[in-house]
Amino acid sequence: MEVVYTPYDPSVNDDPYPVYARLRREAPLYHNPEAGFWALSRHADVTAALTDSARFSSDHGPMIDPGAWTPRARAYLSFIAMDPPDHTRMRAVVSRAFTPRRIAALEPMIREIARSYIHEGLARGTFDFTADLAAKLPLDVISELMGVPSSRRIKVRRSQSVLLKHDLAGTLTEAGLASLLTLGDYYASVVAERRREPRDDLVSALVADGDLTDEEIVAFLFLLIGAGSETTTHLLGAAWYWAWRNPGQRDLAFGGDITRWVEESLRYDTPAHGTARRLAEPAELHGTPVPKDAKMWLLIGSANRDEEVFPDPDVYDLGRDTSRTLSFGVGRHYCLGAALARLEARITLEELTDAVAPGYHVHEEGIRRTSHGNFRGLVSLPTTVRPA
């Protein structure tokens, strides 16, 4: 039977890896004319495309959804929906504000936030790991980085959650549109306020740089609080879930092997499963002509399970070499927030292993996964814990 793949099939989304393996073997260039995309699934092909921005353009954004695939994507996805020279300029400015020093200085605050949510979960005994910890922490951290006051964070979190829900029709719902407008207005007010009264936060640093317009800063804030927070949420969920499913690896993780726990979780159950590119010129890929402007779907989640690069790729193994994983991309679009995501995950998992006994339980019958194309993760992860 011929392999069939779409990222919107719930049965595929529940466990896409067998389909990915067939794509790598049988259809390394896969065309889905109904959904309007061409998919690359092998590590070598995905790596080559990610590093070739001249042929594989980012100017329509990374989202595969029809409603999000647009030349106007830069308005809400900032420089990840740009090519050079615009991308070069914008990323350089943001990098000057989003410094390693600023990220490292967040560690005490991240640890305090993690402890607070973990202790709340311990007090209840059974809680939703995603909703009560993994989804809250990164949004709180980014809000702190941006200078969003605690009184506004619940509203920002609610608005952002609406925007991150996938609509199979590829259109923005009325609630999503209202959230988009509300967030846009709020971010614009933050930028205006920092122009009047600068503070020691990221928005003030971007304003002070002087090379970005207010609209460009607002677009970056959408990117930061959206894609940046969701990646960390799903990374934490993957680490918690797969350690539970693999008791031997859980023992290593709870024994202090936190960094390798983070890295293997990034490889094994990649939060950003794919990214889209526009083919800027006609090309022949795997012997098949592909037309100019084709929507290319680069399957990072498949590349991270490629047996040509990772022996026994379907085994969750903290001891493996993860140096060639593509979870944060590669090349000029390598994720600017990778260091922050890793820091948040490391600190949270350190605090969890200090506070929680390793024999925790995940209620698998209550698990729910995302249903939209680019990200894959656990939106509900009910867990029972007891103190260490």
Side-chain angles (χ1 to χ4, degrees):
M1 182 183 296
E2 186 178 358
V3 61
V4 176
Y5 165 70
T6 171
Y8 303 128
D9 182 339
S11 64
V12 171
N13 192 55
D14 283 344
D15 183 11
Y17 297 106
V19 178
Y20 290 169
R22 287 194 64 193
L23 288 175
R24 293 193 301 271
R25 288 193 309 268
E26 303 169 27
L29 174 70
Y30 176 80
H31 186 210
N32 186 321
E34 290 78 19
F37 69 84
W38 301 72
L40 292 171
S41 52
R42 292 179 178 172
H43 188 282
D45 292 332
V46 174
T47 301
L50 288 173
T51 54
D52 187 357
S53 60
R55 279 208 307 168
F56 294 87
S57 170
S58 298
D59 64 3
H60 278 53
M63 308 293 287
I64 193 174
D65 304 350
W69 171 259
T70 167
R72 299 183 298 279
R74 65 171 58 195
Y76 56 93
L77 289 172
S78 188
F79 57 86
I80 67 169
M82 298 178 187
D83 295 320
D86 291 344
H87 173 271
T88 307
R89 177 189 69 87
M90 182 79 184
R91 184 174 175 117
V93 174
V94 171
S95 296
R96 291 198 293 269
F98 205 65
T99 61
R101 178 195 64 79
R102 189 181 295 276
I103 293 171
L106 297 173
E107 178 158 351
M109 180 265 295
I110 296 172
R111 203 169 289 280
E112 181 181 346
I113 293 172
R115 284 175 182 167
S116 173
Y117 288 134
I118 291 167
H119 289 160
E120 288 178 9
L122 278 169
R124 293 203 298 273
T126 297
F127 68 104
D128 189 326
F129 184 90
T130 300
D132 298 325
L133 170 60
K136 288 182 176 180
L137 181 138
L139 275 174
D140 282 349
V141 171
I142 290 173
S143 294
E144 187 72 25
L145 188 65
M146 291 168 48
V148 176
S150 56
S151 60
R152 289 290 311 224
R153 290 178 191 176
I154 293 177
K155 291 183 179 179
V156 169
R157 188 183 296 126
R158 287 173 179 165
S159 297
Q160 194 65 49
S161 69
V162 172
L163 291 175
L164 293 174
K165 290 178 180 176
H166 173 65
D167 174 9
L168 290 177
T171 57
L172 197 62
T173 63
E174 185 175 342
L177 179 59
S179 294
L180 183 68
L181 295 173
T182 299
L183 276 178
D185 289 344
Y186 176 65
Y187 294 156
S189 72
V190 172
V191 174
E193 183 179 326
R194 296 307 186 272
R195 288 201 183 279
R196 295 191 303 270
E197 300 178 16
R199 302 180 189 176
D200 183 22
D201 59 28
L202 179 62
V203 180
S204 296
L206 292 170
V207 167
D209 191 283
D211 285 342
L212 297 180
T213 66
D214 287 7
E215 290 77 15
E216 288 174 325
I217 297 174
V218 168
F220 173 69
L221 298 182
F222 268 113
L223 170 64
L224 181 66
I225 208 163
S229 63
E230 192 171 18
T231 299
T232 306
T233 295
H234 296 326
L235 166 56
L236 286 169
W240 194 245
Y241 176 71
W242 291 112
W244 174 72
R245 287 286 302 269
N246 295 270
Q249 301 307 302
R250 184 178 64 215
D251 290 343
L252 294 174
F254 272 72
D257 209 347
I258 304 296
T259 297
R260 292 201 292 184
W261 189 10
V262 171
E263 297 305 317
E264 176 64 348
S265 300
L266 281 167
R267 182 202 71 84
Y268 190 79
D269 203 355
T270 310
H273 253 233
T275 187
R277 294 290 189 268
R278 180 184 65 84
L279 193 63
E281 59 187 39
E284 184 174 298
L285 302 171
H286 289 280
T288 300
V290 183
K292 181 179 184 292
D293 295 328
K295 183 194 295 185
M296 304 300 303
W297 182 227
L298 310 181
L299 281 167
I300 295 170
S302 173
N304 283 344
R305 293 275 191 113
D306 192 332
E307 45 283 301
E308 295 296 319
V309 178
F310 306 102
D312 297 319
D314 297 327
V315 175
Y316 187 68
D317 177 10
L318 270 61
R320 75 166 66 247
D321 179 4
T322 57
S323 60
R324 296 179 66 188
T325 56
L326 301 177
S327 305
F328 290 112
V330 65
R332 68 176 70 252
H333 281 281
Y334 182 80
C335 179
L336 190 64
L340 178 58
R342 285 185 165 109
L343 179 67
E344 289 172 326
R346 174 180 62 80
I347 291 171
T348 303
L349 295 174
E350 285 174 353
E351 293 298 324
L352 279 163
T353 55
D354 282 346
V356 175
Y360 64 90
H361 180 72
V362 169
H363 300 272
E364 194 141 19
E365 68 280 2
I367 284 177
R368 288 189 300 108
R369 290 193 174 275
T370 54
S371 59
H372 55 94
N374 287 68
F375 287 97
R376 179 176 181 272
L378 298 158
V379 296
S380 181
L381 185 57
T383 302
T384 296
V385 295
R386 57 184 177 83

